[in-house]
Amino acid sequence: MRAVRMTHWGGPPVLIEVARPIPGADEVLIRVEAAGVCRSDLHVLDARPGILPYRTPFTLGHEVAGRVAERGPGATGPAVGERVVVYGPWGCGLCSRCAAGAENYCDRRADLDAVRTGTGVGLGRDGGMADFLLVPSGRLLVPVGDLPAAQAAPLSDAGLTAYHAVSGIRPTLPPLKGGASVAVVGVGGLGHLAVQILRATTPARVLAVDVREEALSLADACGAHFGTLLRPDTAEVLRRRAGGIGVDAVLDFVGSHSSLELAVGALRAGGELAVVGSGGGELTVRKPGALPPGVRISLPFWGTRPELEEVVALARKGVVRVETEEFALSSAPEAIDRLRSGHARGRTVLVPD
Ligand code: FEH
Ligand code: ZN
Ligand code: ZN
């Protein structure tokens, strides 16, 4: 079978032939129908040796949809022929977090990293930028019914991460009940889904910020109430749009110095900042300091398996729709370059040709 492999640190992604895995014990073999390309794939490709707790070579692709092709003798979960997405953060499967379906926050992550077993599918473990994917357990599969694969795959990472970030601010913010405002900073593969999820699951006014006009038009198409380019006065613009008192929450899908600075200037006292993007920006937390009193900061990572089931349900109801740019699996290097260029619209998805 074909696979897009990280053969060595700092090397390019290469499409090569590898042996098709045979599922044993609880394992499940998936025939891949679509695999998303994520900014985290770029971080992996650009990482220097020893930075990430992964062993090379491995196949990239942590946002995968496909059809169950074969099951090991002890496998549970979806039957052969069923169409699924793959829950990507693979934990120990035994700790209380994993038992609750929150393998993204596995309590034994440090132990797993120490033995370099990887963060999950396509992140130190063989992933889904390939014709087939071997999944350790049926517990990691969520059925998608007749949802098109290029719509389903992005739900497992971009959709789940956005949904988890929204879920984190929704219940802790009484002001969200009517009249609340949430700023979505960065309207790319994750941000455009966050706009839709906010509109579908909260009464909040959604204010979108990006550096590209085409991203703001995507935000508008996704239901944002307001959109503005990032400028020196954008924090004040957002404060005014939020009744002059500041926004109740900022979902920062960029995580850069300028996006964090914007959040500090735009947030209401008692507001929420969720830093989702890995842009390397830093924020000084000090009292007294620049952050308004009562602000809560979170660093959400991916999402839980129950949340994946919830975001798939929203997509199957037609409430969430992924904007995609599709490429053939054989054009994976071109697709990765397109994402790296910063010109991709929505989520970049590979489809086995
Ligand atoms: C994966 C690995 C490490 C950091 C962030 C990520 C995200 O892309 C997963 O959603
Ligand atoms: Zn990702
Ligand atoms: Zn665990």
Side-chain angles (χ1 to χ4, degrees):
M1 74 173 198
R2 297 168 301 166
V4 179
R5 304 270 285 173
M6 263 285 285
T7 54
H8 59 279
W9 294 111
V14 288
L15 182 68
I16 52 177
E17 275 296 318
V18 297
R20 181 191 307 184
I22 298 169
D26 301 340
E27 297 173 327
V28 182
L29 186 68
I30 304 295
R31 175 184 287 279
V32 175
E33 294 179 342
V37 184
C38 176
R39 283 210 163 277
S40 301
D41 293 313
L42 304 182
H43 295 320
V44 171
L45 286 164
D46 298 343
R48 293 190 312 278
I51 296 296
L52 296 174
Y54 309 154
R55 280 197 198 90
T56 58
F58 61 89
T59 300
L60 292 165
H62 60 271
E63 185 174 78
V64 188
R67 191 182 291 270
V68 176
E70 194 180 339
R71 302 200 321 169
T76 59
V80 170
E82 197 154 1
R83 300 183 66 249
V84 295
V85 281
V86 178
Y87 177 64
W90 296 350
C92 71
L94 301 172
C95 71
S96 60
R97 287 279 166 82
C98 288
E103 301 200 33
N104 53 322
Y105 298 137
C106 172
D107 285 321
R108 295 186 52 222
R109 175 56 56 206
D111 303 337
L112 298 174
D113 287 353
V115 295
R116 309 178 84 75
T117 50
T119 305
V121 60
L123 298 161
R125 305 284 293 268
D126 281 342
M129 289 187 195
D131 291 308
F132 289 89
L133 166 67
L134 187 65
V135 177
S137 165
R139 76 172 195 272
L140 302 167
L141 303 176
V142 173
V144 295
D146 56 2
L147 202 58
Q151 283 292 307
L155 300 176
S156 62
D157 179 17
L160 175 56
T161 302
Y163 189 88
H164 183 59
V166 171
S167 302
I169 63 166
R170 188 171 49 230
T172 60
L173 265 182
L176 273 185
K177 290 186 177 51
S181 299
V182 177
V184 173
V185 182
V187 188
L190 281 71
H192 86 285
L193 293 172
V195 171
Q196 295 177 63
I197 293 164
L198 280 164
R199 292 303 319 272
T201 64
T202 80
R205 256 195 321 277
V206 179
L207 315 178
V209 183
D210 201 287
V211 293
R212 298 178 301 154
E213 281 292 357
E214 57 270 29
L216 295 184
S217 67
L218 177 56
D220 180 57
C222 291
H225 296 92
F226 170 73
T228 182
L229 289 174
L230 180 62
R231 294 193 181 95
D233 67 341
T234 300
E236 190 44 43
V237 168
L238 293 177
R239 295 188 73 82
R240 281 202 303 272
R241 279 281 161 171
I245 56 173
V247 297
D248 296 272
V250 174
L251 299 180
D252 180 355
F253 290 98
V254 181
S256 66
H257 174 73
S258 54
S259 63
L260 292 172
E261 203 173 44
L262 169 63
V264 171
L267 270 170
R268 177 181 186 186
E272 294 264 351
L273 167 59
V275 183
V276 188
S278 307
E282 296 182 351
L283 187 60
T284 300
V285 178
R286 188 176 56 228
K287 288 180 79 172
L291 281 162
V295 162
R296 280 171 290 212
I297 299 174
S298 61
L299 303 173
F301 172 65
W302 221 326
T304 69
R305 198 176 61 248
E307 289 171 332
L308 179 54
E309 291 160 356
E310 291 162 20
V311 73
V312 166
L314 287 178
R316 293 182 70 179
K317 282 195 296 192
V319 166
V320 167
R321 186 194 164 283
V322 187
E323 182 77 16
T324 60
E325 288 191 350
E326 295 181 30
F327 291 78
L329 177 64
S330 55
S331 304
E334 179 194 340
I336 291 167
D337 287 345
R338 168 86 172 151
L339 178 64
R340 196 185 286 279
S341 74
H343 296 306
R345 178 178 165 90
R347 199 65 165 176
T348 305
V349 181
L350 301 178
V351 178
D353 42 339

